[in-house]
Amino acid sequence: MPHAVVVEILDGALSDRSREYSAADALVGIALHDDDREFIERCCLEVGTRAVPGSPLLALAGLCLGHTARRFGYLSDQAVGLAEALAVRADTDPSDVDGRALDGRDDIRWYLRDQVKEHSSGDVCPGDNLA
């Protein structure tokens, strides 16, 4: 799917919740098939920071970042941070962000174990920032 179409679908869903199903399909599609990691991350970051609480798109953004980590073996620090934040929200209130965000965080921890480090608290952070 052309990037401009994906952006249009995602923007539409962020302003009209009745369009979330199409946005979910587009987000998963790019996470599994698009070859531009940076574009996938930008889409997940946009959705994961702009979707309203309770939107299924929030957890899906985290899950799709996990798919992206698996496919590319790398995520930006900002993407890792968003996935962690969404997972924390899912742990705190599953009616805000559903459990798929936890699956995304688990994938990131597994596939990027050399890039991210897990603290005893369970939080993850980019490995380069550890003292």
Side-chain angles (χ1 to χ4, degrees):
M1 181 178 303
H3 289 179
V5 172
V6 172
V7 169
E8 182 179 329
I9 291 169
L10 296 178
D11 282 344
L14 291 170
S15 62
D16 178 358
R17 291 200 62 191
S18 70
R19 300 164 87 184
E20 286 180 338
Y21 183 80
S22 296
D25 190 45
L27 198 59
V28 170
I30 63 169
L32 295 176
H33 303 292
D34 197 290
D35 291 330
D36 186 342
R37 179 193 54 81
E38 291 177 354
F39 176 72
I40 300 166
E41 283 189 24
R42 278 193 310 272
C43 290
C44 290
L45 288 163
E46 188 72 15
V47 168
T49 57
R50 288 188 49 211
V52 298
S55 170
L57 294 177
L58 290 168
L60 194 59
L63 181 64
C64 287
L65 287 171
H67 290 324
T68 305
R70 175 184 52 79
R71 289 185 60 220
F72 294 95
Y74 178 82
L75 289 175
S76 69
D77 293 348
Q78 188 177 13
V80 171
L82 174 64
E84 175 66 20
L86 291 170
V88 167
R89 286 173 65 182
D91 266 339
T92 304
D93 182 1
S95 68
D96 174 25
V97 177
D98 73 60
R100 292 174 298 168
L102 301 170
D103 295 335
R105 180 184 62 189
D106 290 347
D107 285 348
I108 290 167
R109 288 178 176 178
W110 176 256
Y111 291 104
L112 304 185
R113 57 188 172 271
D114 293 334
Q115 180 186 340
V116 296
K117 303 296 179 197
E118 185 175 348
H119 294 278
S120 59
S121 67
D123 292 344
V124 295
C125 72
D128 294 341
N129 293 340
L130 292 179

